[in-house]
Every structure is written in structure tokens, then in C-alpha cells.
Amino acid sequence: MDSLASLVAPLHDAIYAVMTPVSDFIWSYILVYLLLGAGVLFTVLTRGMQFRLFGHMARVTFNSRGAGEGVSGFQAFATSLAARVGTGNLAGVAIALWIGGPGAIFWMWITALVGFATSFVESTLAQVYKKRHEDGVYRGGPAYYIERTLGWRWMSLLFAFFLLVAYGLAFNGAQANTIAQGMNQAFGMPNWVTGLILVGVVAVVIYGGLKSIARTAEKIVPIMAIAYLLVALVVLALNITAVPDMLALIVKSAFGYGPAVGGAAGYAIKTAMENGIKRGLFSNEAGMGSAPNAAAQANVKHPAAQGLVQSFGVFVDTLVICSCTAVVILLSGVYEKLMANSPGQDIVGIQLTQDAMADHFGGFGEVFIAVAILLFAFTSIIANFSFATVNIEYMFKRHAKGAVQALRLAVLAMVMIGSVSQLTFVWDFADLSMGLMATTNLIAILILAPIAMRVLKDYERQRREGVKEPRFDPKILKRPDQVDDDVWPSKDS
């Protein structure tokens, strides 16, 4: 074994020597600016759709439950939200607070506000260029709209591969590991027992197909989001007198003021901005290319309607759930004590959230966070499988059924392995894959944005004319021949 380790170690070091700087460069110098820049551009092009249409966006989301056959708009919304809302909403926000100070929360909010428009563009494109599938659930997403419009199948295959590595395999192991650790800390359950139970429950859902995933997400996601929101509202109510000071601290810290941010003002602003923007982008995934895979599955009458529904997911994920975590932490005594006694110390994000919840509610807080971790991570696993299924079918086409079967087994294996061991290398490679995936998608949607603008204008025109449920006619596009007739038939046909 020692001789094998000595042979593998140089290879391991060589891979990291290439992978780490490339991944750091993509995330630190390309993606943050590309994602934020695209969000600002799309906000301008849509004339601030997230502000003009917010009320309509919420109504469309909650009125999109009925779909007849297939997946409803609300089910597609719940599936994408299941992937967005993971343990990062509990742990990631805590880390952003610890490193960037309370000001990071302000920049997280700003990032989410421009992310609405990015999510609208990519999800609308996914709807326009989706394909009908034999199981009654549509398929679509970046891999599909890149090939259909640009004709770059090589780029579509790259995107599909990157997503498969990140969402199909590695992130499922990571989510399973977080569940196992949470169950062990809260209830003393051995990790391998948690792993076996998870494998059984996940298998039941994913072997039921994409409809089964959508139905499960539709039931669990609203419950977990509402429960988490209610707990945060209780924390707010119990600490109502401290809320003005908390909000003032967040805003002041964002611009380099306030006792919670150390160092020079310029450095403090930079640190708050970087961590808040990264947390917002990584949490709501607007522009990453993951949510469009769920958006395309919805059976709706106009692509823009589902684009608006998916935009509302950014609001729920970041402006609601991530903000809940921030409120719980900042209104507890835990954050101030840690800042006073252990500044600069490395922390485990989920530990800070758990300690803050326990500070508010005692033993109930610890149990609640454990259950929240379980639900958030479990729904992420099944949603990740849904995204991976869409892309592995795209990659293998004629052999799609066999490929999906292999994917199911691989996902279940990753859930079990992730429950009992740390998979640092796999997760680091997944971060690189996710960065490359997002870069690929962003390049595509920046090129294809005019199509989404045409679709939005058509939707708004019909609403101005008094049409309650606008219907899409592909003839408004410059290239209607790129759209499937059996998905979006022309009104004249």
C-alpha cells in the first residue's frame, strides 16, 4: 500500500498543480465579473424586469401548479429551487459573514437583484428550444439551445460533460456527507447507517423518473422554505429592538464602516464585496446553466412565463433563505463572541449557523438545523440527478436509456461513498467543472440574449392587449425553423 501511495502521490500533486490555479483564476477573475456584468446588462436590456414585473412574477409562480400532462411550471420551479437551496444556504452565508463581515450580506442582496434578469434569459431560452420526450416530460437547457441556435455541438457536449461531473456525481457526494455529519452530530447516528437510508430513499425517487422528482420537490421544497422562514421571523420578533442596528451594521459594513469590519476601509469594502457577490452568485446559480434544465421541463403556454417563474426562484433562494441565515447569525450572541475572541480563525460554516440557532432556541435549534440540512441536501441530490439526466441523454442520444441507468447507479454509489468519507479531490474537480460549465453557458446566453428579449416583448405586448395567458408563436423569432413544431406550433398551422 505504501508503494502504491508513493506512485499515486506525484500524480495527485501534478493534477492539483494544474487544477488549483486554473480553478482559482476562473472563479476569482472571470466568473464573478462575467456573472455580475451579464446580470447588469440583462437588467438594462429587460428594462429592469425584476422590478417592473415582480408582482406578476409572484402571481405566475403560485398560479402555475396545473400542467395537465407532464411537469407543471410550479414543479419545474420547485425542482430548480431544490438544487439552488442546499447546505450552502446554511453554511455558505455563515462563511461569507465570517470572512467578509456583515457588509457581505448587502452585496449578496445586490447580486441577487441583477441575477433575476440572468435567470430569466437562460430559462426562457431553455423553454423556446426544448424537445418533446417519450416519457411526457420535455428536455432542454444550455446543451440544447447552444446546438440549436449556434450549431456548436462541441460546445454543447462540453457543457453537458461539465454539468455531469459537478451535478451528477461530486455534489451529490458532498450533500450526502453533510447529511451524514448533521445526523451524527444531532442524533449520534453512524454515518454508514445514514448512507444506507439515503441510498434507499433516493433510489425510490430517481427510479420513478423526472416526474417523480418534480412531484417530490413540489411537496418538500415549499415546506422546508416556509419552515425556515418562520423560524427566522420568530428570531426577528424576539429581537425586534435589535433589528434597526443590525440593518445599519450591514449597510455600514458594506462601505467600510462599522466595528465588525477590521482593517483599512478600502480593504474592508473589497472583502465584503467579493464574499457577498460570490455567495450570492454561487447560491442562486443565475447564469450557471443548471436551472434551465428544470425550466425546460415545464408545460407552459409561453416561454417567458416560465422565465419569470425561474427568476422568482432567485428571490426565494437569496433574498429570503440566505437572508434568514444571516438574520439568525447576526441577531445571536455567537457571531460577536467569535469576532471578539477568535478573529481570523478558520471556521466550519455550518457550525456557526448551528451555534447561532442553539443560542436562540437551545436544543430545538440544533435539531431544527439537522432536519433542515437533511431536507435541503436531500432535495438537492434528487434535483441534481434530474439535471444530470437531461444532459447524459443529450450526450448519448441513441444509448440514452443505458446511460441513465448507469447514472442512477453512479449517483447511489456517490451518495453512499460521500456519507462515509471525504471526497476532497472529487469536490475540487467539481468546482473546476462548475466554473467551466458556467463560463460556457454565459458566453452562449450573451450571444443569444436578443432572442430572449424578443420573447419578453411578445409576452408583454399580449398582456397589454388584455390577454390573460399569452401564447407563444415561434413566428416572432428570426429563425422559427430552429424551434420544434410539435412543441410550439405556429398559430397559423
Side-chain angles (χ1 to χ4, degrees):
M1 289 297 290
D2 291 339
S3 59
L4 179 61
S6 63
L7 290 173
V8 173
L11 177 61
H12 176 275
D13 293 342
I15 292 173
Y16 264 99
V18 175
M19 186 171 69
T20 301
V22 172
S23 184
D24 288 346
F25 180 78
I26 289 172
W27 282 107
S28 300
Y29 297 103
I30 296 179
L31 262 187
V32 168
Y33 300 105
L34 191 58
L35 281 162
L36 197 60
V40 172
L41 174 63
F42 296 148
T43 296
V44 172
L45 292 176
T46 60
R47 297 176 295 119
M49 53 77 65
Q50 59 268 60
F51 308 108
R52 295 187 299 110
L53 301 174
F54 182 77
H56 178 67
M57 193 185 297
R59 287 192 296 273
V60 171
T61 299
F62 294 113
N63 291 333
S64 61
R65 286 185 174 270
E69 295 183 1
V71 171
S72 71
F74 187 82
Q75 287 175 330
F77 162 78
T79 301
S80 64
L81 192 61
R84 283 181 170 128
V85 180
T87 54
N89 294 72
L90 301 173
V93 174
I95 292 171
L97 269 171
W98 182 249
I99 299 174
I105 303 305
F106 176 85
W107 295 111
M108 182 184 74
W109 291 338
I110 297 299
T111 304
L113 288 176
V114 298
F116 276 65
T118 307
S119 183
F120 172 81
V121 170
E122 62 180 355
S123 297
T124 298
L125 290 169
Q127 266 288 320
V128 172
Y129 297 104
K130 66 187 180 183
K131 290 179 67 70
R132 191 178 294 277
H133 192 271
E134 62 186 23
D135 66 358
V137 178
Y138 294 109
R139 302 292 196 272
Y144 290 81
Y145 58 67
I146 290 171
E147 181 180 6
R148 289 233 163 164
T149 56
L150 302 175
W152 299 343
R153 180 163 167 78
W154 62 269
M155 190 174 180
S156 295
L157 288 171
L158 279 177
F159 174 87
F161 172 75
F162 294 143
L163 184 142
L164 186 62
V165 170
Y167 284 81
L169 301 174
F171 291 161
N172 287 330
Q175 298 288 355
N177 185 269
T178 305
I179 292 173
Q181 295 299 330
M183 293 298 102
N184 182 265
Q185 291 173 17
F187 308 111
M189 184 179 292
N191 288 9
W192 67 269
V193 174
T194 301
L196 288 176
I197 295 172
L198 262 182
V199 167
V201 177
V202 170
V204 169
V205 177
I206 67 176
Y207 273 92
L210 298 191
K211 287 184 182 179
S212 173
I213 292 170
R215 287 193 297 267
T216 303
E218 181 185 30
K219 291 179 175 66
I220 296 178
V221 169
I223 293 173
M224 72 183 191
I226 291 171
Y228 200 60
L229 174 61
L230 288 176
V231 168
L233 289 175
V234 171
V235 171
L236 277 173
L238 294 174
N239 300 272
I240 193 67
T241 57
V243 171
D245 289 339
M246 178 193 72
L247 293 175
L249 178 63
I250 289 173
V251 175
K252 287 179 180 178
S253 298
F255 297 98
Y257 302 99
V261 180
Y267 176 77
I269 295 172
K270 180 177 181 291
T271 304
M273 284 185 68
E274 283 185 356
N275 284 278
I277 289 170
K278 285 180 182 179
R279 179 65 255 147
L281 295 174
F282 301 166
S283 176
N284 61 55
E285 299 184 10
M288 294 286 188
S290 52
N293 295 279
Q297 296 174 21
N299 183 8
V300 294
K301 295 176 181 177
H302 200 289
Q306 192 59 25
L308 292 171
V309 168
Q310 294 300 328
S311 294
F312 192 70
V314 175
F315 167 77
V316 175
D317 173 87
T318 306
L319 295 179
V320 176
I321 297 178
C322 284
S323 297
C324 287
T325 300
V327 164
V328 168
I329 293 172
L330 288 175
L331 290 178
S332 73
V334 173
Y335 179 75
E336 288 185 0
K337 289 177 183 176
L338 278 174
M339 288 298 294
N341 300 327
S342 309
Q345 176 183 313
D346 289 337
I347 65 158
V348 178
I350 196 64
Q351 179 185 340
L352 178 54
T353 308
Q354 285 176 321
D355 291 345
M357 193 67 80
D359 185 70
H360 290 296
F361 299 109
F364 168 79
E366 293 182 354
V367 173
F368 178 81
I369 287 296
V371 174
I373 290 170
L374 172 63
L375 293 178
F376 282 23
F378 169 72
T379 53
S380 288
I381 290 171
I382 61 173
N384 290 347
F385 171 79
S386 174
F387 297 168
T389 296
V390 171
N391 285 273
I392 203 169
E393 286 178 344
Y394 174 83
M395 292 173 70
F396 289 93
K397 295 199 173 184
R398 294 180 182 178
H399 306 287
K401 289 185 178 179
V404 172
Q405 179 62 21
L407 175 64
R408 287 191 179 104
L409 296 174
V411 166
L412 295 177
M414 286 299 295
V415 167
M416 189 65 219
I417 294 169
S419 297
V420 298
S421 62
Q422 296 287 342
L423 303 171
T424 306
F425 173 77
V426 177
W427 299 343
D428 289 343
F429 186 64
D431 284 339
L432 174 60
S433 292
M434 189 177 181
L436 293 169
M437 175 187 104
T439 304
T440 304
N441 181 59
L442 282 164
I443 292 170
I445 64 175
L446 284 167
I447 297 171
L448 301 175
I451 297 172
M453 298 309 111
R454 277 178 175 266
V455 176
L456 177 61
K457 287 179 181 178
D458 176 65
Y459 182 83
E460 292 196 273
R461 175 188 60 79
Q462 292 188 51
R463 287 191 67 228
R464 285 195 302 271
E465 293 172 356
V467 179
K468 289 186 177 180
E469 286 190 278
R471 291 179 177 270
F472 179 63
D473 189 336
K475 285 190 174 181
I476 67 161
L477 303 175
K478 287 186 177 180
R479 292 288 308 276
D481 57 298
Q482 294 175 336
V483 177
D484 278 0
D485 292 336
D486 63 338
V487 174
W488 300 114
S490 172
K491 292 179 182 177
D492 297 333
S493 61

